[in-house]
Amino acid sequence: MEATEEKLLELYEKLHAAYGPQGWWPAETPFEVMVGAVLTQATAWRNVERAIERLKAAGALSPEGMVRLSEEELEQLIRPAGFFRQKARRLRALLRLIERHGGVEGLLALSTERLRAELLSVPGIGPETADSILLYAAGRPVFVVDTYTRRILHRLGLLRDEKASYEEMQELFERALPRDPELFGEYHALLVRLAKEHCRAKPRCAGCPLAPPCARSTESA
DNA sequence: TTCCGGGTCC
DNA sequence: GGACCCGGAA
């Protein structure tokens, strides 16, 4: 096994030892995962929770409930999550995809490859959102890559070229790890936690569980 | 009061 | 690279 692959396994072990299981994704139904995946685009989870609560209170946290809303009503409910106009449009496009497949179950029954393609065909669903749905709503062994993943790997010196594509980074993890959705889900959640608590855009290295300091901990940007 | 962080599309 | 948006930090 390559050095980088071993290091990715070690990184998981360290984070898991420090933080324990994260229990992602926090949602009661696959549809709720899908909605959350769209709402959390470029948005702190706290604000997504507010929007989800409002949808739930309005009885719109199901395809049948949400489809009854006008676009304007949907916009107002999800306002706390930001980008509310485009996200309302995206959710309605996702609803149409679900309807075309006769419901959430029918959609999620597609093969991983086909499901990913269908999700990516929805305007406003890109690779990270699609993969979050594949992993956390459909339970497929697909590794989710985000800004945090890139930042952490780069600072740890595990990303040779800083411009590595989404797919390249995803392959890195999928080659290094056993193809286990549970593991992938935990790993992504642990990276998010590390990024929020320590490995922020402006690093807060004090108390980082990866101490002794990582190779890049002295960089300021 | 301004600034920052965070996916996707154009 | 800019536009889309909010809440919380500075």
Side-chain angles (χ1 to χ4, degrees):
Chain A
M1 178 179 297
E2 266 182 57
T4 300
E5 299 187 11
E6 283 177 21
K7 288 189 173 162
L8 287 179
L9 274 170
E10 283 172 28
L11 176 58
Y12 174 77
E13 296 301 336
K14 282 189 196 171
L15 293 174
H16 185 77
Y19 291 137
Q22 301 299 295
W24 271 29
W25 185 291
E28 291 178 12
T29 64
F31 182 69
E32 190 177 331
V33 174
M34 294 189 246
V35 172
V38 169
L39 293 181
T40 199
Q41 293 171 351
T43 300
W45 183 253
R46 183 75 199 91
N47 300 328
V48 176
E49 286 180 327
R50 293 193 175 102
I52 299 256
E53 274 313 307
R54 292 158 64 87
L55 288 171
K56 191 175 285 185
L61 208 44
S62 65
E64 303 74 29
M66 189 175 288
V67 79
R68 281 196 290 265
L69 299 176
S70 68
E71 185 147 347
E72 292 68 28
E73 289 170 323
L74 183 54
E75 287 176 357
Q76 291 314 308
L77 287 170
I78 66 174
R79 228 183 140 110
F83 303 104
F84 59 89
R85 290 186 196 88
Q86 56 174 8
K87 284 178 182 174
R89 251 182 284 125
R90 290 171 183 186
L91 287 175
R92 285 160 65 89
L94 178 59
L95 276 180
R96 288 193 291 276
L97 177 70
I98 289 170
E99 284 173 353
R100 280 208 298 283
H101 291 271
V104 170
E105 272 190 40
L107 177 63
L108 297 187
L110 296 176
S111 72
T112 299
E113 190 185 17
R114 173 95 192 280
L115 179 53
R116 189 168 200 267
E118 289 287 307
L119 290 168
L120 289 175
S121 78
V122 176
I125 294 188
E128 183 186 339
T129 306
D131 288 341
S132 296
I133 292 172
L134 283 164
L135 176 60
Y136 293 109
R140 309 301 172 82
V142 170
F143 200 90
V144 177
V145 171
D146 63 3
T147 298
Y148 300 144
T149 313
R150 177 180 303 275
R151 182 195 296 157
I152 291 168
L153 287 201
H154 181 241
R155 287 189 180 153
L156 290 174
L158 297 178
L159 245 204
R160 292 161 185 240
D161 77 81
E162 201 179 340
K163 300 288 183 204
S165 71
Y166 182 98
E167 281 74 20
E168 284 169 333
M169 299 191 52
Q170 182 172 56
E171 280 172 25
L172 198 60
F173 281 93
E174 294 187 357
R175 271 203 312 272
L177 307 170
R179 253 186 147 60
D180 174 9
E182 283 293 320
L183 173 65
F184 285 7
E186 277 302 310
Y187 203 156
H188 175 68
L190 288 165
L191 290 173
V192 170
R193 174 129 176 224
L194 179 71
K196 287 189 178 303
E197 295 188 5
H198 298 284
C199 214
R200 305 154 74 111
K202 195 167 166 17
R204 285 190 176 179
C205 298
C208 174
L210 299 185
C214 69
R216 309 301 175 90
S217 63
T218 50
E219 80 176 353
S220 52

